[in-house]
Amino acid sequence: MPALADKAPLLSVRDLVVEFPTRRGVLRALDKVSFDIAEGEVLGMVGESGAGKSLTGAAIIGLLEPPGRIASGEVWLRGERIDNLPRERMRRLRGRRIGMVFQDPLTSLNPLYTVARQLIETIRTHMDVSDTEARNRAVGLLDRVGIPAAARRIDDYPHHFSGGMRQRVVIALALAAEPELVIADEPTTALDVSVQAQIIDVLKEICAERGASVMLITHDMGVIAETADRVAVLYAGRLAEIGPVRDVIQRAEHPYTAGLMGSIPTLTQTAERLTQIPGSMPRLDAIPKGCAFNPRCPRVLERCRIERPELIAREGGRQVACWLYDREAQDA
Ligand SMILES: Nc1ncnc2c1ncn2[C@@H]1O[C@H](COP(=O)(O)OP(=O)(O)OP(=O)(O)O)[C@@H](O)[C@H]1O
Ligand code: SF4
Ligand SMILES: [Mg+2]
């Protein structure tokens, strides 16, 4: 893969394992997660609370909070391995090559500095431009993300902006150094419903203009349906299914995805599709043997309780971790 850097996907995550050592043993929060993000692609990442979405993002950008750690696996950015970089190099890569947008805009903004100072500092840290040039760029960015009267508002402090406007500022900040990838973790969950779609739209448009790929973490399937090219479904720290968003939504193959899709009111035409999956996702210290979904699965087979299914390649570039699609067993 590294030898073919230009052919490699923008981001490649391979067999990523994240663990938390605790007094009662090691908890495995991500278990061999593998996926790629292509150049310019929007990958949606869904799954119920605690599935490991945020940890996946944090592991990629080197922001796992100790004692959480990458126990094994690899992360490659454009053919360069980045999971084992020294702290300082990782810090520089963050912001420059990977931008971040979190749920709460205030985690990304310093309340003591004007928006101008934060944007200009970010631009000048990563790019060789004059102060005036950096300011012009900053105003242009604010204007692009939809801040009215950007040339004047740039000298305001974060608290002068509404929640939605503040998240636009964060998007401008995340894109200030022209990163190749933006990781957005529930970027609109904390915002008023009326502005959520606008913020997602601006994020998607501006990344598309700049050719930046996006990893969009959310539990909102409606947002994924409208925004993502492909979608990855996580369950109990494992990838259940990944593929083109239309295919996965219209014809989910993994029984868990099928249940998840059945519980999206916005995409549900009839009441009978609103199938609830009985039970709940297991805690990390009680993940069942075999397929993690087996106690809740309506189609469980005997081997599901014993052997863990790996991702199986399906038509159209989809992959599904489920024994129902095991070719050898079907042929037999
Ligand atoms: N510091 C920690 N110590 C132990 N377990 C942790 C720690 N941080 C996270 N976890 C566990 O890792 C799992 C995945 O957490 P993560 O935050 O990635 O979930 P998520 O999919 O982002 O959920 P949400 O939708 O609620 O944001 C959860 O089971 C969580 O309890
Ligand atoms: S592997 Fe078995 S238990 Fe798991 S989703 Fe497929 S059929 Fe259900
Ligand atoms: Mg999360």
Side-chain angles (χ1 to χ4, degrees), residues 53-54 185-186 217:
K53 305 181 296 294
S54 296
D185 189 352
E186 309 270 8
I217 298 170

Side-chain angles (χ1 to χ4, degrees), residues 21-322:
T22 71
R23 271 181 294 122
R24 297 195 301 148
V26 174
L27 295 178
R28 186 169 276 210
L30 291 183
D31 197 350
K32 295 199 178 163
V33 170
S34 296
F35 62 91
D36 293 339
I37 301 181
E39 189 141 355
E41 178 178 60
V42 179
L43 178 76
M45 182 151 289
V46 297
E48 60 201 281
S49 188
K53 305 181 296 294
S54 296
L55 284 182
T56 305
I60 292 168
I61 54 179
L63 282 183
L64 280 178
E65 280 177 36
R69 62 185 185 97
I70 296 181
S72 60
E74 298 173 358
V75 181
W76 297 78
L77 183 66
R78 221 187 269 289
E80 179 196 358
R81 191 158 169 197
I82 62 165
D83 58 277
N84 54 4
L85 290 180
R87 278 173 72 97
E88 184 52 26
R89 278 198 59 203
M90 194 63 203
R91 206 182 57 75
R92 264 182 284 144
L93 187 138
R94 258 197 312 272
R96 177 69 189 98
R97 298 186 63 193
I98 306 181
M100 290 162 296
V101 180
F102 295 111
Q103 180 172 330
D104 178 2
L106 292 177
T107 51
S108 308
L109 296 170
N110 186 327
L112 301 177
Y113 295 156
T114 63
V115 164
R117 176 160 175 189
Q118 299 180 57
L119 276 168
I120 291 168
E121 249 174 41
T122 303
I123 292 170
R124 296 207 66 192
T125 303
H126 297 292
M127 299 168 123
D128 185 20
V129 293
S130 71
D131 212 46
T132 313
E133 167 64 12
R135 188 181 168 93
N136 288 341
R137 276 177 182 257
V139 171
L141 265 168
L142 285 185
D143 186 53
R144 180 62 196 85
V145 296
I147 306 283
R152 181 166 53 78
R153 295 302 309 270
I154 193 168
D155 291 311
D156 284 344
Y157 289 85
H159 69 266
H160 290 131
F161 293 84
S162 68
M165 287 294 157
R166 236 180 253 147
Q167 198 62 306
R168 290 175 194 260
V169 172
V170 171
I171 292 170
L173 196 60
L175 283 148
E178 300 183 351
E180 294 145 85
L181 173 68
V182 173
I183 298 180
D185 189 352
E186 309 270 8
T188 61
T189 310
L191 303 179
D192 205 86
V193 178
S194 62
V195 303
Q196 289 185 356
Q198 296 164 21
I199 301 289
I200 294 286
D201 284 350
V202 97
L203 175 69
K204 183 176 172 163
E205 282 171 21
I206 188 169
C207 287
E209 278 166 26
R210 280 144 204 263
S213 304
V214 182
M215 178 170 146
L216 178 61
I217 298 170
T218 173
H219 48 244
D220 187 336
M221 279 306 306
V223 165
I224 295 288
E226 283 166 24
T227 314
D229 300 304
R230 287 190 311 141
V231 58
V233 182
L234 272 182
Y235 184 81
R238 303 174 185 187
L239 214 53
E241 180 161 4
I242 180 168
V245 75
R246 300 270 152 249
D247 297 355
V248 173
I249 286 177
Q250 283 165 13
R251 286 173 287 108
E253 293 193 331
H254 195 286
Y256 174 65
T257 318
L260 202 63
M261 298 307 156
S263 57
I264 329 160
T266 49
L267 296 168
T268 308
Q269 305 306 320
T270 55
E272 72 223 291
R273 274 201 64 202
L274 256 170
T275 43
Q276 283 295 319
I277 314 168
S280 55
M281 202 171 63
R283 289 164 34 144
L284 295 181
D285 58 1
I287 294 179
K289 194 168 162 12
C291 174
F293 188 57
N294 85 65
R296 301 172 74 188
C297 183
R299 303 178 66 185
V300 59
L301 311 166
E302 201 43 50
R303 75 190 293 195
C304 305
R305 303 187 213 277
I306 304 156
E307 289 175 86
R308 173 180 169 177
E310 300 296 332
L311 284 173
I312 294 167
R314 305 279 300 153
E315 263 174 41
R318 190 194 316 215
Q319 291 172 287
V320 184
C322 173

